[in-house]
Amino acid sequence: INDQNNDDDDEVNNPGERALGKKKAVKKAKNILNDPDNMSPEELSQNHHHKKERSTKLVTTMARALLNPEQSEFKIGTIGSSVAAGHDNCHYDSYESQLERTLTPVFAAAKMGLQVQNAGEGGGCGDSHKNQVFCVTQNLSPDVDIIHYSWTYFEKGGAEEQREQLVRWAQHMPRRPMVHHLVARGKANTCDADSAENVELDRT
């Protein structure tokens, strides 16, 4: 792909490097806040547009699975820290187990099985959001329909690149799963989960 004549590409400080998807339109979208009361008419319109796109993608993902005669099970895979793993909690009460119990009757009504996979891991083992995204096809089934990502405690305001990498890697998987970012709020001063940087990152 020749990007020399693409005026939308941003300049890169280091020669030979290219910013991951740092298009002007993407940067502009980051300025949209989650508080509709503080949005301009243009920002409010764009926010509604993005919400509609997300809803359409989710409906399409589920419909594709339900209408596929060769698919008998819908798979949701979760990667993340101990918050995703459910450490200090009973496995029965972990997020993934609760989600599976809640949605199983819904999918069963459509004669479709449901599996919610838990690939959460403790952040103290040397892995983090910076490298787990590259192993998504090893940590989860390659044919998952949706990926849930939960590394908020460890991001500390600088995870845009890893989130985008995960989305891009997911597009190479067989079912091109939708990626959902889960925000886990912590107590004050707990792994910087409540820091201003992480709060702002959640709004992008």
Side-chain angles (χ1 to χ4, degrees):
I1 300 175
N2 188 342
D3 288 327
Q4 292 180 353
N5 296 323
N6 191 341
D7 294 333
D8 288 334
D9 284 340
D10 293 317
E11 294 181 0
V12 180
N13 294 328
N14 298 324
E17 293 184 3
R18 185 175 183 276
L20 288 173
K22 299 300 182 183
K23 306 283 188 180
K24 292 179 181 177
V26 175
K27 285 189 173 181
K28 183 178 180 181
K30 287 185 177 181
N31 295 327
I32 297 179
L33 302 179
N34 285 336
D35 184 3
D37 293 333
N38 293 325
M39 292 181 182
S40 68
E42 180 183 357
E43 290 173 336
L44 190 61
S45 176
Q46 192 171 1
N47 183 62
H48 289 163
H49 173 70
H50 290 315
K51 282 188 175 181
K52 183 177 180 180
E53 284 186 328
R54 290 193 294 269
S55 299
T56 299
K57 172 61 177 176
L58 181 58
V59 170
T60 301
T61 297
M62 297 180 68
R64 179 188 62 197
L66 294 172
L67 296 176
N68 184 356
E70 298 181 358
Q71 183 171 347
S72 60
E73 189 172 48
F74 192 88
K75 297 179 182 178
I76 301 174
T78 304
I79 64 173
S81 65
S82 56
V83 175
H87 292 173
D88 299 322
N89 199 356
C90 298
H91 175 72
Y92 180 85
D93 292 322
S94 68
Y95 160 76
E96 293 82 0
S97 295
Q98 292 191 53
L99 181 64
E100 186 171 278
R101 289 197 304 274
T102 301
L103 295 183
T104 290
V106 177
F107 282 88
K111 303 186 184 304
M112 173 75 69
L114 174 67
Q115 180 184 127
V116 182
Q117 301 173 359
N118 185 346
E121 55 191 68
C125 65
D127 290 324
S128 72
H129 62 286
K130 293 183 178 180
N131 53 27
Q132 197 191 32
V133 297
F134 298 113
C135 302
V136 62
T137 56
Q138 287 75 36
N139 291 337
L140 303 174
S141 296
D143 59 347
V144 292
D145 297 280
I146 292 176
I147 295 175
H148 285 180
Y149 165 96
S150 178
W151 273 106
T152 313
Y153 272 19
F154 293 85
E155 290 180 335
K156 299 182 180 179
E160 295 97 333
E161 181 176 339
Q162 284 75 34
R163 294 184 186 183
E164 182 170 342
Q165 287 170 338
L166 176 59
V167 173
R168 291 178 179 270
W169 277 105
Q171 296 309 297
H172 290 280
M173 299 171 73
R175 294 178 182 172
R176 300 178 66 186
M178 185 177 188
V179 177
H180 291 166
H181 169 235
L182 308 181
V183 178
R185 291 278 184 246
K187 296 180 180 179
N189 301 319
T190 303
C191 295
D192 296 328
D194 62 337
S195 68
E197 292 82 1
N198 270 336
V199 172
E200 290 302 317
L201 184 62
D202 296 338
R203 293 174 175 172
T204 60

